[in-house]
């Protein structure tokens, strides 16, 4: 605003020259005199087309034709100011007393170009005004050396204006159109008020500004100000101090951003697609604001509200780079981020999932490319929809669409989860993770993430995983990695393995059936969304078993075989090995015993028993030493010899 007050002050001060010479000097001479005085004061050429004309009614003053003010010598963007005309009315009594008191200033349809060069210079930076005595009506400069003469302005207006802001250093251009503004400065040393409405990049914006001690502010001294900005349904209010010499602000901020698309459109940036719980509906921020000329904004003692979630701490925003960068240290109570998990429940795989399948809805990762971030968060809990976490300590680093989420410690499912998750949104979404879950309750964990409810107990899981795809379905079908499972005491719900094997009956299934185990260990690999395992070890009081097979994570299917190595503790049973086949969709798998393999095993055993008995009887009858016969031919030879003796042969 300083450049605007400076220009108005210079132009209005020169009105005294025109008014004092209305009767004696022709209009073209007045225009030349005004333009000359302006150039002497600013170092910029002013051209007044159509001359300067006196007005006696409704007030004493002047009006001009089209006005053009030259740009800085280094700029190639054309004039700095072009206007269809200027009307100025003054208080004649104050003028006769040697003072300039402006009753009215109207700037008609101005086109103003503000430009910052690659070296940081602004085209609004003009040469220091001359301190030589001026024409009648001028006042001594106020506000220090180099400050323009100040005048009181009852009311100044701009109608149908436009301002174009060009930053050559970063190659950006923004435009304010349809500017209607009102400015008042009743006392040159007192407060100034500005009210402005405009369209910024096509978005309606309104601004009000109250600046105390205007003369001091124009001279570079700190001054109190109150600012309010409205864009769509978003409002930003600030009360504090401006330091023109440093180009900085400090004070209290109260922002309610209920219309992010409008606000980002006004800023010339695409609005990020934020998830529910992270500002999808609204963002509010309160705290102590500090803003510098380098484009860095810091909010200390901040309270940040994202939809229904409230966080406190310190936030810094840097706007000078290719993308805004957010740096924050935050803490919170229980956070509702259910939208990140696709809503409540994991069985359907989230919105857009087919029956019993993963969601095929495209994953929107534009938010990862909209900003950079370095955020540390400590929360009392986090509801992810598919997962309900306890105390959560995480750190997020986001740069250029690549995110690293460090899970320092997360209390979940009666245990802890730690590790690191990487996400890459620069192309087709890609994700990788190295995770450790220790002492977690398995049933709620597997229910939340895989809709698998049959395994209960606690244990330790480690996994290194990676995938790439544009939907949850694609990610699950492209999943790859490896891991290890070590489970303590628990149960397999839905089938009774001991009952199946004892009675050779696969019907021991249902809601009341279960298999108690003491420990389960296994390692696994995943390729193309299919988990493979060949070393499962299962131990319990009744059954010890091994297992191998596959789990099709992408297709949500099972093809797994559990084979007992012993069946103990059951009266009259010396041990049965009957492979148990588990197959079909994991939400409703089928169980089948390989009775053929079990029966063959039993028959072979019984056959061997009979053979052993026959051999022992033959050996006794033939008088052979026990165990001396090892095959059927030996018995046959011995039988022949016995028969020859019986018949009297040799």
């Amino acid at each position: 605003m300083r450049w605007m007050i400076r220009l108005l002050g210079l132009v209005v001060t020169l009105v005294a020259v025109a008014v004092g010479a209305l009767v004696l000097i022709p209009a073209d001479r007045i225009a030349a005199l005004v333009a000359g005085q302006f150039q002497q004061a600013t170092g910029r050429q002013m051209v007044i087309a159509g001359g300067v004309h006196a007005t006696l009614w409704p007030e004493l003053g002047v009006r001009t034709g089209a006005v053009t003010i030259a740009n800085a010598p280094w700029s190639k963007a054309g004039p700095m100011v072009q206007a269809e005309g200027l009307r100025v009315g003054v208080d004649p009594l104050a003028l006769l007393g040697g003072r300039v008191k402006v009753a009215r200033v109207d700037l008609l349809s101005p086109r103003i170009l503000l430009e910052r060069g690659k070296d940081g210079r602004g085209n609004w930076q003009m040469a220091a005004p001359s301190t030589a005595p001026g024409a009648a009506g001028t006042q001594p400069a106020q506000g220090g050396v180099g400050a323009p003469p100040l005048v009181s302005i009852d009311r100044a207006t701009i109608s149908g204006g436009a301002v174009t802001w060009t930053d050559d250093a970063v190659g950006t251009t923004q435009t304010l159109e349809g500017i209607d503004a009102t400015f008042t400065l009743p006392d040159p040393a007192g407060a100034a008020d500005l009210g402005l409405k405009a369209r910024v990049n096509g978005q309606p914006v309104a601004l009000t500004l109250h600046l105390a001690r205007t003369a001091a502010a124009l001279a570079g001294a700190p001054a109190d100000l109150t600012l309010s900005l409205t864009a769509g349904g978003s409002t930003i209010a600030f009360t504090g101090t401006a330091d023109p010499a440093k180009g900085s602000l400090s004070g209290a901020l109260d922002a309610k951003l209920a219309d992010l698309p409008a606000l980002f459109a006004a800023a010339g940036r695409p609005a990020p697609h934020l998830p529910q719980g992270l500002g999808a509906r609204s963002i509010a921020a309160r705290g102590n604001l500090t803003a510098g000329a380098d484009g860095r904004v810091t909010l200390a003692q901040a309270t940040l509200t994202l939809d229904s979630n409230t966080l406190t701490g310190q936030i810094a925003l840097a706007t000078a780079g290719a993308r805004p960068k957010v740096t924050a240290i935050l803490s919170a109570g229980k956070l509702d981020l259910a939208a990140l998990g696709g809503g409540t429940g994991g069985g359907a795989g989230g919105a857009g999932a087919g029956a019993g399948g993963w969601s095929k809805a495209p994953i929107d990762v534009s938010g990862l490319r909209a900003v950079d971030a370095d955020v540390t968060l400590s929360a009392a809990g986090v509801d992810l929809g598919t997962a309900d976490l306890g105390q959560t300590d995480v750190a997020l680093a986001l740069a250029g669409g690549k995110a690293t989420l460090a899970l320092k410690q997360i209390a979940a499912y009666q245990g802890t989860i730690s590790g690191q998750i990487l996400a890459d949104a620069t192309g087709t979404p890609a994700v990788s993770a190295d995770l450790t879950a220790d002492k977690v309750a398995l049933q709620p964990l597997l229910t939340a993430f895989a809709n698998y409810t049959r395994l209960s107990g606690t244990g330790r899981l480690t996994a290194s995983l990676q995938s790439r795809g544009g939907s949850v379905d694609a990610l699950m079908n492209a999943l790859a990695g490896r891991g290890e499972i070590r489970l303590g005491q628990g149960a397999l719900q839905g089938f009774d393995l001991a009952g199946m094997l004892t009675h050779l009956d696969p019907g021991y299934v249902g809601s009341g059936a279960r298999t108690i185990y003491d420990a389960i260990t296994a390692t696994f690999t995943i390729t193309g969304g299919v988990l493979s395992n060949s070393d499962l070890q299962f131990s319990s009081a009744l059954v010890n078993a091994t297992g191998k097979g596959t789990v099709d994570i992408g297709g949500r299917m099972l093809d797994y075989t559990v084979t007992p190595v012993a069946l103990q503790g059951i009266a009259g049973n010396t041990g049965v090995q009957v492979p148990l086949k588990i197959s079909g969709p994991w939400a409703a798998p089928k169980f089948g015993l390989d009775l053929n393999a079990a029966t063959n095993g039993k028959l072979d055993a019984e056959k061997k028993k009979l053979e052993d008995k026959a051999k022992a009887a033959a050996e006794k009858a033939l008088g052979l030493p026990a165990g001396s016969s090892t095959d059927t031919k030996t018995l046959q030879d011995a039988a022949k010899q016995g028969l020859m003796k019986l018949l009297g042969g040799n």
Side-chain angles (χ1 to χ4, degrees), residues 163-211:
V163 174
T164 299
W165 161 253
T166 299
D167 192 335
D168 298 331
V170 295
T172 59
T173 298
Q174 297 185 29
T175 302
L176 287 76
E177 298 176 320
I179 297 176
D180 292 318
T182 301
F183 174 80
T184 62
L185 181 61
D187 180 354
D193 288 281
L194 172 67
L196 180 146
K197 292 182 178 180
R199 293 188 307 277
V200 183
N201 297 323
Q203 179 63 44
V205 171
L207 179 144
T208 61
L209 172 66
H210 176 82
L211 177 65

Side-chain angles (χ1 to χ4, degrees), residues 86-189:
L86 174 69
R87 291 197 297 261
V88 181
V90 298
D91 182 341
L93 295 179
L95 188 63
L96 291 175
R99 294 183 299 108
V100 179
K101 180 176 177 57
V102 178
R104 175 182 178 183
V105 178
D106 296 323
L107 189 58
L108 308 178
S109 300
R111 297 291 183 266
I112 301 171
L113 172 65
L114 299 179
E115 182 178 8
R116 182 166 62 183
K118 293 182 179 180
D119 58 0
R121 291 181 298 172
N123 68 338
W124 57 88
Q125 296 171 342
M126 301 181 185
S130 171
T131 57
T138 58
Q139 298 187 64
Q142 300 181 47
V145 177
L150 291 178
V151 295
S152 61
I153 302 174
D154 286 346
R155 180 181 176 87
T157 65
I158 294 176
S159 58
V163 174
T164 299
W165 161 253
T166 299
D167 192 335
D168 298 331
V170 295
T172 59
T173 298
Q174 297 185 29
T175 302
L176 287 76
E177 298 176 320
I179 297 176
D180 292 318
T182 301
F183 174 80
T184 62
L185 181 61
D187 180 354

